[in-house]
Amino acid sequence: MELRQLEHFVTVADERHFTRAAELLQISQSGLSASIRALELELGTSLFTRSTRRVELTAAGQALLADSMRTLASAAAAQNAVAAVRGLVRGRLTVGAEPCVGSVDLPAELGRFRAANEGVEVRLRYEGSVEILESVATGRVDVALVVVTGSTPAGVRLRPLTTQKLVVLCHPDHRFARRDEIDLQSVHAETLIGFQPGWGAHVLARRAFAAAGFDYRAAMEVNDVHPLLDLVGYNLGVAIVPQSFAAKRPGVLRAIALPDDMPEWTVVVAAAEEPSPAAAAFLDQLAQKNA
């Protein structure tokens, strides 16, 4: 069993797709399949169940995944420690984020970081805050920009950036548009447009509705900010979003205040309590930018 095989296995497990995994690893799909088959042959069991659309971990694959990630993390830490002694920042930096959380111009910061640290391979993945934070806890992501949605996993440290209120976003012709504030009972009676489970706005809205004694059900769910703004712009429903989302369509959509006891949209930088040298360098860069 080689580290290279474990890296191949973990990447396929992450992507649930051989073609995408091969592209990320920059090897041929046939080479990746051969590597996984060799690992399965050595272990004497199948690690994935394969279909035409995606692959899923078997019970044996699930058992191997956590140890494989720890092994790869330990190997990377050893390489980084040697590089750090030489005054170099090496290795890989995987950054995760929920799209449009605000606070940081992430593409610009990644560009600055890569220009200053040419020896670091930079990767980026977008998901909902819940999934990204869990990826930080398991070591799949080094640094993440997320919305606080609940408890912090063990071994993860949060660095606060900004906090803003949630508002109701609606079309100028909607009956809410002439109001300065709206209560949750009125919002509950409307067609809701929201994000998929795991996204910050979804979690916070569901929590607020539950506290008020209502079920939260979005009639239309999206996985990006701009489709949500488009749907509201066609007066297909209203959405609960942070104030900054309204600024993306100024003069087109109307933002209505919610009661003061609503959960707040708090953006943080999440990283391991003991980050890798590359992650520590990126955290220092973000801290200087937001000082």
Side-chain angles (χ1 to χ4, degrees):
M1 187 183 306
E2 302 176 359
L3 286 175
R4 174 181 55 82
Q5 290 176 306
L6 294 182
E7 182 182 15
H8 293 173
F9 164 68
V10 169
T11 304
V12 175
D14 277 344
E15 295 301 317
R16 298 291 199 272
H17 198 280
F18 273 83
T19 301
R20 289 197 297 267
E23 291 171 353
L24 283 174
L25 292 164
Q26 297 184 336
I27 63 174
S28 67
Q29 185 173 340
S30 60
L32 176 60
S33 296
S35 176
I36 297 298
R37 281 197 301 271
L39 182 59
E40 290 176 325
L41 183 62
E42 180 178 350
L43 294 173
T45 187
S46 296
L47 300 174
F48 298 102
T49 56
R50 299 159 174 83
S51 70
T52 55
R53 290 191 171 185
R54 59 186 294 155
V55 296
E56 298 289 346
L57 286 165
T58 62
Q62 292 173 349
L64 178 63
L65 183 59
D67 283 334
S68 296
M69 293 174 62
R70 282 193 290 268
T71 298
L72 291 173
S74 296
Q79 292 174 334
N80 292 337
V82 172
V85 170
R86 299 170 57 204
L88 303 173
V89 178
R90 300 290 187 188
R92 176 186 298 165
L93 174 71
T94 301
V95 178
E98 177 169 320
C100 295
V101 293
S103 306
V104 172
D105 185 347
L106 186 54
E109 292 300 326
L110 292 177
R112 287 180 58 212
F113 180 83
R114 191 164 67 174
N117 302 277
E118 295 181 354
V120 178
E121 177 190 356
V122 177
R123 292 187 175 183
L124 174 65
R125 58 192 301 175
Y126 282 114
E127 284 183 298
S129 288
V130 173
E131 290 80 5
I132 288 291
L133 192 59
E134 182 61 30
S135 293
V136 174
T138 58
R140 298 183 185 186
V141 168
D142 300 305
V143 179
L145 294 175
V146 296
V147 180
V148 176
T149 55
S151 60
T152 304
V156 177
R157 179 186 171 192
L158 304 183
R159 298 162 174 83
L161 288 176
T162 59
T163 297
Q164 57 181 298
K165 298 286 188 181
L166 293 175
V167 298
V168 172
L169 203 60
C170 69
H171 188 276
D173 293 338
H174 193 277
R175 65 187 184 90
F176 288 171
R178 291 180 294 277
R179 300 183 60 170
D180 294 325
E181 183 176 311
I182 195 75
D183 59 88
L184 281 183
Q185 184 172 1
S186 298
V187 177
H188 180 257
E190 292 295 313
T191 299
L192 290 174
I193 300 169
F195 294 100
Q196 294 176 346
W199 285 58
H202 179 105
V203 176
L204 297 179
R206 180 179 289 277
R207 182 183 304 162
F209 271 58
F214 304 123
D215 290 334
Y216 173 79
R217 291 195 182 103
M220 302 180 186
E221 288 187 342
V222 298
N223 62 358
D224 194 8
V225 174
H226 297 287
L228 178 140
L229 298 178
D230 291 339
L231 292 169
V232 175
Y234 281 105
N235 207 10
L236 292 170
V238 302
I240 297 177
V241 297
Q243 288 175 321
S244 57
F245 283 18
K248 296 179 182 295
R249 301 284 172 91
V252 177
L253 302 178
R254 179 87 163 85
I256 315 300
L258 283 162
D260 289 336
D261 58 356
M262 283 287 294
E264 292 185 313
W265 176 274
T266 298
V267 178
V268 298
V269 179
E273 292 179 349
E274 297 183 6
S276 68
F282 189 61
L283 290 169
D284 287 344
Q285 177 181 305
L286 293 179
Q288 293 170 10
K289 183 73 174 180
N290 292 275

